[in-house]
Amino acid sequence: MTIYADYQRDRIGWFFGLSGGQLMFLALASLPAFWAISRGAWFSAFLFALVWLFLLAITVIPVRGRSATGWVFASTAYAVGGLLGWTSFRAKATQGRGDDLDTPDLPGVLQGVQIHDGPPHGSQLQRVAVIQDHATKTWAVTAAIVHPGIGMKDVEERNRYGEALAGLLDVAGRTEKVDEILFMVRTVPEDGAERDLWVTKHRRANAPELAEVVNSDLAHGLTQASVRTETFVTIVVPETRIARSAKESGGGFEGRCREIYLLMAEIEAQLRGPMGMTSVRWLTSPELALACRTGFAPGDRAGIVEALAMREKEPGVNADVPWAMAGPSGADATVRHYSHDAWNSISATIKLPTRGVAMGALAPILTPSESGERRSFVVAYPIVSQSKADRQSGNAEWAADLAEGMNEKLGRKTRAKQRDEAHKARGLDAKLARGNSLTRPYAVCTVTVPKTLRITEFGRRLDASVRRAGFAPLRLDLAQDTGFAASTIPLGTSLTRSGDA
């Protein structure tokens, strides 16, 4: 079994673990104490020293992944948003104002999303849904993918899949256009909609009564114990990276679509080839709206499947989900969970362990603990540009050398963890020189249950599953709506990209 542990912290503090900004802030905060000492005001110096120690604690000591100042800013923003009504969402359709059915009406970070029908693409001339996010100034496309899985694969084949993923990221980095690749998996409780349709179509009027009863009992038991897996991949392209080449391809929306289609072809070749995907289908606007709606309301899928079956017999049946109704009718972002329609969700990110992880270690996170529970997660690979990667590699190597040198002069022993981080920082430059891409992967997992069940209990079960997989969970408190959108709705939402980027 191969263990992947070649990752490190994004930034290595070069002065006792402190970053340059933290060191500068603490140095400026210590000036009043030294000024009081120079004046001989010892009592004032003692008070200033206590204030400095307080600032040191709130600046350096992390609390659930954030500093105390970070919690203050996040809590203030959440309180202001609650007072202004920004944390609650009500769909326009529920208020009788849903006039344009093609305009998405989505909550939170998805409000700036606009869906375009791209030019005809492929042998079937399908119009791929092109996602434009006006808030982050990005373009994205999503594909539904099918992979045979790695559960029964040997070590060599798993290693090939790992190398294929690294190759995919390198290809995306060499395009100098793709900013992020997101892989999303949703394990949805089986609703038995397709089987019910098949049984209704093939049922015999003279079937034995005992066979009917046995078949019905088996269907009921197997449906409760079964789950369906939906997998999506989304590529995100910033406007700043595609604008110039789009102008050379004709400009406007058509030029951007031509550039995105070229990227789709490169990514699809890697997915179907080295990564072994058996199916890669780029979603059209109706298919993407269906994936979005079932993300917010998993229980609506059975009715949509039935409508699709009815449309095969009666072409006049409307089985599509309009974008104005693809989101929830109402949603509320609370501190510890996210409420949407008749469902509650809890999201958490995972912390990579120091000892490394094996491929397939995330599988326990997707295993539901009870019938009616949905698990989903997204693994995102933000790709750093080559120039920025070289600059960060040089800074990290310099910080590692400086930290070791200062420890030696001060007689402070360098810990094993610090030595490992320094070794990885020095090895990063060699990998970049060989043509590898730098990425900052992260993962967000979400559990969704009906409001009739206690969401706090299922949140604890999700944390237990994360720990059983070998990771450490970190709840996305005060950002549950963003975590849910990133891990469940395949529209290219990212946790590393800010607005107006």
Side-chain angles (χ1 to χ4, degrees), residues 63 302 356 364 407:
V63 180
N407 287 338

Side-chain angles (χ1 to χ4, degrees), residues 357-427:
V357 295
M359 180 176 288
L362 291 172
I365 301 177
L366 285 174
T367 305
S369 60
E370 192 172 316
S371 176
E373 174 189 3
R374 184 187 67 184
R375 297 282 185 93
S376 61
F377 73 72
V378 62
V379 179
Y381 297 94
I383 300 173
V384 183
S385 62
Q386 190 65 32
S387 59
K388 189 175 181 179
D390 292 336
R391 184 169 62 253
Q392 290 185 356
S393 172
N395 292 339
E397 191 171 0
W398 175 80
D401 295 338
L402 182 60
E404 285 189 353
M406 295 188 68
N407 287 338
E408 291 178 0
K409 289 185 177 181
L410 296 175
R412 183 172 181 265
K413 183 179 180 181
T414 303
R415 306 297 298 271
K417 184 178 180 180
Q418 295 174 340
R419 289 197 301 268
D420 291 341
E421 291 179 349
H423 176 72
K424 292 176 182 178
R426 296 187 180 98

Side-chain angles (χ1 to χ4, degrees), residues 102 104 113-117 129-132 284-285 288 323 491:
D102 295 330
V113 170
Q114 182 179 0
I115 309 299
H116 303 276
D117 287 326
V130 180
I131 308 164
Q132 182 183 9
T284 61
S285 182
L288 187 60
W323 273 107
L491 294 180

Side-chain angles (χ1 to χ4, degrees), residues 186-189 294-299 338 340 342-347 368 370-376 445-451 453 455 458-459 462 484 487-488:
R186 303 192 308 203
T187 53
V188 187
T294 54
F296 281 104
Y338 185 53
H340 47 98
W343 306 80
N344 286 328
S345 297
I346 284 182
S347 299
E370 192 172 316
S371 176
E373 174 189 3
R374 184 187 67 184
R375 297 282 185 93
S376 61
C445 50
T446 300
V447 58
T448 301
V449 295
K451 287 186 176 179
L453 303 177
I455 184 60
F458 286 89
L462 177 64
F484 171 83
S487 61
T488 309

Side-chain angles (χ1 to χ4, degrees), residues 126 129 144 232 281-292 320 323:
Q126 289 186 337
F232 305 95
R281 189 182 78 257
W282 298 99
L283 300 182
T284 61
S285 182
E287 293 172 340
L288 187 60
L290 174 60
C292 183
D320 295 333
W323 273 107

Side-chain angles (χ1 to χ4, degrees), residues 4-212:
Y4 295 89
D6 196 9
Y7 47 79
Q8 64 182 36
R9 290 189 301 171
D10 191 18
R11 293 178 178 87
I12 298 178
W14 51 272
F15 184 82
F16 293 104
L18 299 178
S19 64
Q22 291 175 331
L23 181 62
M24 182 65 66
F25 173 76
L26 294 176
L28 293 175
S30 65
L31 293 180
F34 287 110
W35 175 81
I37 293 175
S38 66
R39 299 292 297 270
W42 301 109
F43 182 73
S44 297
F46 176 73
L47 294 180
F48 282 130
L50 291 180
V51 173
W52 184 83
L53 291 175
F54 174 74
L55 294 177
L56 174 67
I58 66 175
T59 303
V60 176
I61 301 176
V63 180
R64 292 183 177 270
R66 303 180 191 174
S67 64
T69 53
W71 278 110
V72 170
F73 288 134
S75 301
T76 303
Y78 177 82
V80 172
L83 291 174
L84 297 178
W86 295 343
T87 58
S88 297
F89 169 80
R90 296 297 177 268
K92 295 180 180 179
T94 62
Q95 305 172 12
R97 297 187 292 112
D99 299 329
D100 188 4
L101 297 180
D102 295 330
T103 301
D105 186 16
L106 303 173
V109 294
L110 302 176
Q111 288 184 355
V113 170
Q114 182 179 0
I115 309 299
H116 303 276
D117 287 326
H121 171 72
S123 58
Q124 299 180 354
L125 299 179
Q126 289 186 337
R127 301 176 69 90
V128 177
V130 180
I131 308 164
Q132 182 183 9
D133 194 333
H134 294 279
T136 57
K137 294 182 174 59
T138 57
W139 301 83
V141 285
T142 298
I145 57 178
V146 178
H147 192 273
I150 61 174
M152 303 300 293
K153 305 297 182 181
D154 55 16
V155 176
E156 294 182 358
E157 194 156 1
R158 293 192 180 198
N159 290 339
R160 285 197 296 268
Y161 283 141
E163 295 173 357
L165 177 59
L168 172 68
L169 299 178
D170 291 340
V171 168
R174 286 193 290 268
T175 63
E176 297 183 351
K177 294 184 178 67
V178 178
D179 178 63
E180 191 170 14
I181 298 180
L182 303 99
F183 290 92
M184 180 182 298
V185 183
R186 303 192 308 203
T187 53
V188 187
E190 179 60 56
D191 50 31
E194 289 88 348
R195 187 184 185 282
D196 291 341
L197 292 173
W198 187 90
V199 170
T200 302
K201 183 177 180 181
H202 296 83
R203 187 185 300 274
R204 295 184 180 182
N206 57 350
E209 182 178 354
L210 180 59
E212 292 275 0

